[in-house]
Amino acid sequence: MNFSSTPNEFNNIEDFEHKPDSADPGLQRFALRLKTSMGRDTLIQKELDKLRTQLKCDRVVLYYFYSQWKGQVTFESLSNATLSIYGSTGADECFNHQYAQDYQKGRITAITDIETEAIHPCHQNFLRSLSIRANLVVPVIVSNELWGLLIAHHCQHPHVWNSAELDGMKVVAETLSTAPEIIDFKK
């Protein structure tokens, strides 16, 4: 498909957003929202891809809370496409108010091996269903609210998470927490 612009068309969102004779403020708001959304999506995907490479793990996902303690995997970086859990909504019956409060306070969870770790059977079965063997979870706090969870998975083998890996996850969570693309989109 070939899209050629005419004198009455705009070439990109920035052109439209600043076009002085645009009379439709609703369309301008839509263009701004689309621009912000695209910036947010690009930032998140870039950070997840970078993190998965650094951690040398199978999967890194962003679990976004769209409602109080209900969410889904909205972004993922994979070592193999067969590992996709995109759109997974999680086991809501396993994630209760206490877990949410703990993550809100900055809780980090590092599970070396779901088969030997003392975790609730509901959580263990859920992790098994996603082919997870080792799990690292860091909260993403935006404007003092639990916005999402940044999660890394090793699917084939147990993995002892080291301090550099935890620090890498914290850095990315902080980057997302303070990014204007996310803060502005949340408003």
Side-chain angles (χ1 to χ4, degrees):
M1 221 180 251
N2 183 14
F3 293 99
S4 60
S5 62
T6 64
N8 294 328
E9 294 180 75
F10 58 93
N11 293 322
N12 61 43
I13 292 171
E14 286 83 8
D15 290 347
F16 179 76
E17 183 183 351
H18 296 99
K19 191 173 181 173
D21 62 343
S22 178
D24 189 344
L27 196 51
Q28 284 182 323
R29 283 191 305 276
F30 171 76
L32 179 60
R33 186 90 166 151
L34 183 60
K35 176 183 168 190
T36 303
S37 176
M38 290 168 45
R40 179 207 60 202
D41 292 358
T42 300
L43 169 73
I44 293 170
Q45 193 62 57
K46 181 184 90 172
E47 292 297 325
L48 265 59
D49 290 343
K50 181 175 70 174
L51 188 56
R52 187 184 54 77
T53 300
Q54 287 174 344
L55 297 175
K56 297 179 180 83
C57 63
D58 296 311
R59 178 171 51 215
V60 174
V61 302
L62 178 67
Y63 186 85
Y64 167 71
F65 290 103
Y66 56 81
S67 180
Q68 185 163 3
W69 322 139
K70 297 200 182 300
Q72 74 181 77
V73 173
T74 55
F75 291 89
E76 61 184 5
S77 179
L78 309 167
S79 64
N80 185 315
T82 62
L83 298 173
S84 178
I85 59 170
Y86 184 80
S88 172
T89 57
D92 292 336
E93 65 277 3
C94 296
F95 193 84
N96 61 36
H97 186 69
Q98 184 59 51
Y99 280 124
Q101 285 182 335
D102 291 346
Y103 282 119
Q104 177 80 34
K105 294 175 186 171
R107 172 190 181 168
I108 294 173
T109 303
I111 299 174
T112 299
D113 186 352
I114 69 157
E115 299 303 332
T116 60
E117 195 83 21
I119 57 177
H120 193 280
C122 178
H123 190 212
Q124 185 181 44
N125 290 332
F126 174 69
L127 295 175
R128 274 189 197 128
S129 77
L130 299 177
S131 301
I132 297 166
R133 192 65 188 266
N135 190 39
L136 178 60
V137 182
V138 174
V140 178
I141 309 291
V142 177
S143 302
N144 296 317
E145 293 179 29
L146 182 58
W147 183 81
L149 299 172
L150 185 60
I151 308 168
H153 297 147
H154 279 276
C155 298
Q156 307 299 318
H157 307 285
H159 180 78
V160 177
W161 301 99
N162 64 45
S163 60
E165 292 168 326
L166 269 67
D167 289 344
M169 288 280 283
K170 288 179 195 175
V171 166
V172 172
E174 181 67 23
T175 298
L176 297 177
S177 295
T178 59
E181 296 91 343
I182 290 174
I183 294 170
D184 292 344
F185 192 79
K186 188 174 182 267
K187 292 178 183 175

